[in-house]
Amino acid sequence: MAYPFPALTPEQKKELSEIAQRIVANGKGILAADESVGTMGNRLQRIQVENTEENRRQFRELLFTVDTSINQSIGGVILFHETLYQKDSQGKLFRNILREKGIVVGIKNGLVPIVEPEVIPDGDHDMEHCQYVTEKVLAAVYKALNDHHVYLEGTLLKPNMVTAGHACTKKYTPEQVAMATVTALHRTIPAAVPGICFLSGGMSEEDATLNLNAINLCPLPKPWKLSFSFGRALQASALAAWSGKAANKKATQEAFMKRALANCQAARGQYVHSGSPGAASTQSLFTASYTY
């Protein structure tokens, strides 16, 4: 079939498709470590640590230099521009450390084209309204992608889960969130998309993991890998454990890997809630009018 527009070469398509599949293979997901200087400042302020480049570098070094088992849970890392050029204490670039672990690295849309339509949780709307809006947004997004002949097999989707607004008084179970989320996806997302990596949307670490697990256990057809692209929901416990102190390296890395493993299990529908996840992991991470 002749195309009236420039097409990707077969080699480009193959490369994009393989990268997308690597990122979400076997329960792997994305660590979104692309917080801006201002956003990192807000996080460091909560643990009473000064927002300097060195402190930002030190915390990210702890995340990136955990032992090689990190590649069992994390398939890709999104870096901030500053972080792309930062090095560990031995002078080695972070991006090279991650690549040697088999992890795909890039800055925004630097891994494969990542489509990120998000219905934010600000407000008191119920889950049903969120589902309605999410379906409208996703349908419009994929209409536009098809109009522009985007090669879907070489992309990943990073949407919100379908949840009620943060101020909604009605509470929903993970199973209800899962059914609404997968229903919305089933109605709008082509099966050609390799993976869907959910945003945590200000949920606590534990809630984000429980919802992801329920999504993967949902009985509806799921032709895509359903995984995670978490920032706050992968780092809250690690930040709390670190508190800006070098002596807390082991505790920080253990907290990070514990949550990364939990989400890897959830992406396979195998996470078991322990009943005592820790204070930091159950704390709400919602920020009104959140920007990256």
Side-chain angles (χ1 to χ4, degrees):
M1 178 179 179
Y3 294 95
F5 53 87
L8 294 172
T9 66
E11 292 77 18
Q12 289 172 323
K13 289 182 178 182
K14 183 174 184 293
E15 181 182 15
L16 287 172
S17 177
E18 288 178 349
I19 291 173
Q21 291 177 40
R22 274 178 58 198
I23 292 171
V24 295
N26 303 317
K28 295 178 183 178
I30 296 173
L31 166 62
D34 58 337
E35 301 92 347
S36 66
V37 172
T39 299
M40 276 301 295
N42 293 333
R43 307 225 180 131
L44 294 175
Q45 184 178 33
R46 293 176 185 173
I47 58 171
Q48 300 181 333
V49 173
E50 186 180 0
N51 184 23
T52 64
E53 181 178 354
E54 176 57 17
N55 284 334
R56 295 191 296 272
R57 188 202 67 79
Q58 286 184 18
F59 177 66
R60 283 168 169 155
E61 179 175 351
L62 292 174
L63 300 184
F64 302 156
T65 59
V66 295
D67 66 44
T68 54
S69 66
I70 185 177
N71 61 12
Q72 297 175 14
S73 304
I74 305 297
V77 175
I78 307 176
L79 301 177
F80 183 56
H81 185 269
E82 170 186 82
T83 318
L84 189 67
Y85 301 99
Q86 286 178 329
K87 301 175 181 179
D88 71 359
S89 54
Q90 306 302 313
K92 193 168 187 177
L93 286 164
F94 286 153
R95 63 178 185 262
N96 291 338
I97 291 172
L98 291 167
R99 284 170 177 161
E100 287 175 5
K101 297 176 186 291
I103 296 171
V104 182
V105 182
I107 57 175
K108 283 188 181 293
N109 289 336
L111 300 96
V112 290
I114 293 177
V115 184
E116 189 170 340
E118 180 179 13
V119 176
I120 60 175
D122 301 56
D124 61 357
H125 54 275
D126 59 21
M127 187 182 70
E128 290 76 13
H129 185 68
C130 181
Q131 181 180 343
Y132 172 80
V133 174
T134 297
E135 290 179 12
K136 290 290 186 183
V137 169
L138 292 177
V141 166
Y142 278 91
K143 169 64 164 58
L145 292 175
N146 278 290
D147 285 347
H148 289 276
H149 313 289
V150 171
Y151 177 60
L152 296 181
E153 290 87 342
T155 67
L156 293 171
L157 175 67
K158 281 181 58 174
N160 55 283
M161 296 180 189
V162 174
T163 61
H166 185 72
C168 180
T169 57
K170 184 176 180 180
K171 302 303 178 185
Y172 297 87
T173 67
E175 291 72 26
Q176 289 173 308
V177 169
M179 182 59 71
T181 300
V182 179
T183 297
L185 298 175
H186 199 243
R187 291 172 175 172
T188 56
I189 310 302
V193 176
I196 297 171
C197 301
F198 292 101
L199 299 160
S200 55
M203 290 181 277
S204 71
E205 287 183 331
E206 186 68 9
D207 284 346
T209 303
L210 289 171
N211 285 341
L212 179 61
N213 191 68
I215 284 170
N216 276 283
L217 291 175
C218 180
L220 295 178
K222 300 180 289 291
W224 339 264
K225 292 291 181 68
L226 298 172
S227 190
F228 58 92
S229 180
F230 293 166
R232 286 170 285 176
L234 266 174
Q235 299 178 48
S237 292
L239 267 171
W242 178 52
S243 297
K245 299 175 183 177
N248 293 334
K249 175 180 178 179
K250 181 179 179 181
T252 303
Q253 293 186 326
E254 287 179 349
F256 172 62
M257 283 309 302
K258 179 181 179 181
R259 185 49 53 184
L261 176 61
N263 285 304
C264 177
Q265 293 169 339
R268 299 171 177 169
Q270 298 173 351
Y271 178 66
V272 178
H273 179 54
S274 65
S276 55
S281 67
T282 57
Q283 185 177 35
S284 173
L285 302 174
F286 173 76
T287 300
S289 303
Y290 181 76
T291 55
Y292 295 91

